[in-house]
Amino acid sequence: MSVEDIDSVEPDSRRADGVPRTTGHFDGLDFDGFWDDGDYSRENYVEPGPTDDLIASIEEELGGYRLPDSYVELMRLHNGGMVERPCHPMDEPTNWAENHIQISGLYAIGRTATWSLCGELGSTFMREEWGYPDIGVGIADTPSAGHEQVMLDYRACGSRGEPRVVHVDQEADYRITLVAPDFATFVRGLVREDEFDDSAEMKEADLTAVRHGTLSPIVRRALEVADLQDGEALLRALAERIVTEKGFFALHADGDSWLMYDVMFWLYSHLATATSFEDFVNRAEGQIDYERPCYTLMVTTSFVADPYGFCTGGYAEGFLRDWWAAKVERGNLIAVDGGYRFDPEYAAQVLRVLHATGG
């Protein structure tokens, strides 16, 4: 999208208080290659361009915070989406990196997309369900799957003023760190990942995590019940292979990732029977401990009050859902006793492969 498209923004668009919204905040900024317009982004982030009435109702629903004119201008050009320039330099270190933060996408002005301002996992959800401070409006998610958020901070300017952009870190007791003085400056500062080549440091940190990090309480219980000889060592060896190959600890659609999904399901099945994909993956509504087993609390997400180290820090549901569908189709996952279990022969095969990997 080129900067010329900004001319299409309605020049007489007004705020709820009747004051005309200013435009031109992004004059001279080349938007070619800014947005990631892949299927996942279009299905989960993007909404149609917002009308004045929708903007006013969203601002009201968000608690009366006036969205910056620059934010509205950008959303009229492209209403939400994942970005190809996800990194912003930082003067202060965060849990993400010493010199930058990273976002996944920007929230649309709307309610229908999963990651929109008032969507299922948007600003309101993150405040009410994840405990983020009521300092303004969440505008961007990060690869940490909810443990960080980028927000508009209205504390200094009031609900109708020009907010700063800040990074809020749940893992550090919701520590707030300044990112940019305003939204337009924030967008102009976003750059591609290759501007920050910290791959060597990330690989070393993730190798340390998979070699020595504590296991989830659920995984520890499952290993005890399963009585798998050298189970912890085998699990760590598989994770080390993944980090060595990718440079970081993350699970996707490759063979080792699918083996890790298999192992996690096999361990899970020693504690519970999954009635569905969602039952296996998601924690129970309101769950705040590790009592009920689920995939996310086994390897992707931990509670701030009781974290564990052997953790990917997030996951892409699409990869995991594809794994589940393939296992059902192939007869590896079979319906028994009101739920799903591995076919015994396939379970034995998983353990043989795991031992070979560990060896």
Side-chain angles (χ1 to χ4, degrees), residues 230-260:
D230 297 325
E232 180 174 337
L234 293 170
L235 193 60
R236 293 187 186 277
L238 173 58
E240 185 171 339
R241 268 179 48 137
I242 292 171
V243 176
T244 301
E245 177 66 25
K246 298 181 179 182
F248 50 88
F249 190 27
L251 305 177
H252 301 116
D254 54 282
D256 282 343
S257 293
W258 277 42
L259 178 56
M260 184 66 81

Side-chain angles (χ1 to χ4, degrees), residues 13-19 21 50-73 76 108-111 117-118 123-124 127 134 136-137 152 154 159-163:
S13 178
R14 294 176 178 270
R15 305 195 308 240
D17 54 13
V19 178
R21 291 190 180 272
T51 63
D52 289 348
D53 288 342
L54 176 63
I55 294 168
S57 70
I58 291 293
E59 290 178 331
E60 181 179 0
E61 185 172 335
L62 291 171
Y65 292 110
R66 181 188 68 81
L67 296 173
D69 293 352
S70 56
Y71 191 86
V72 172
E73 179 181 337
R76 288 193 185 278
I109 298 176
R111 299 182 177 88
L117 289 178
C118 295
S123 179
T124 302
R127 184 184 70 250
D134 188 11
V137 179
L152 298 175
Y154 290 80
S159 62
R160 312 305 292 174
E162 186 68 28

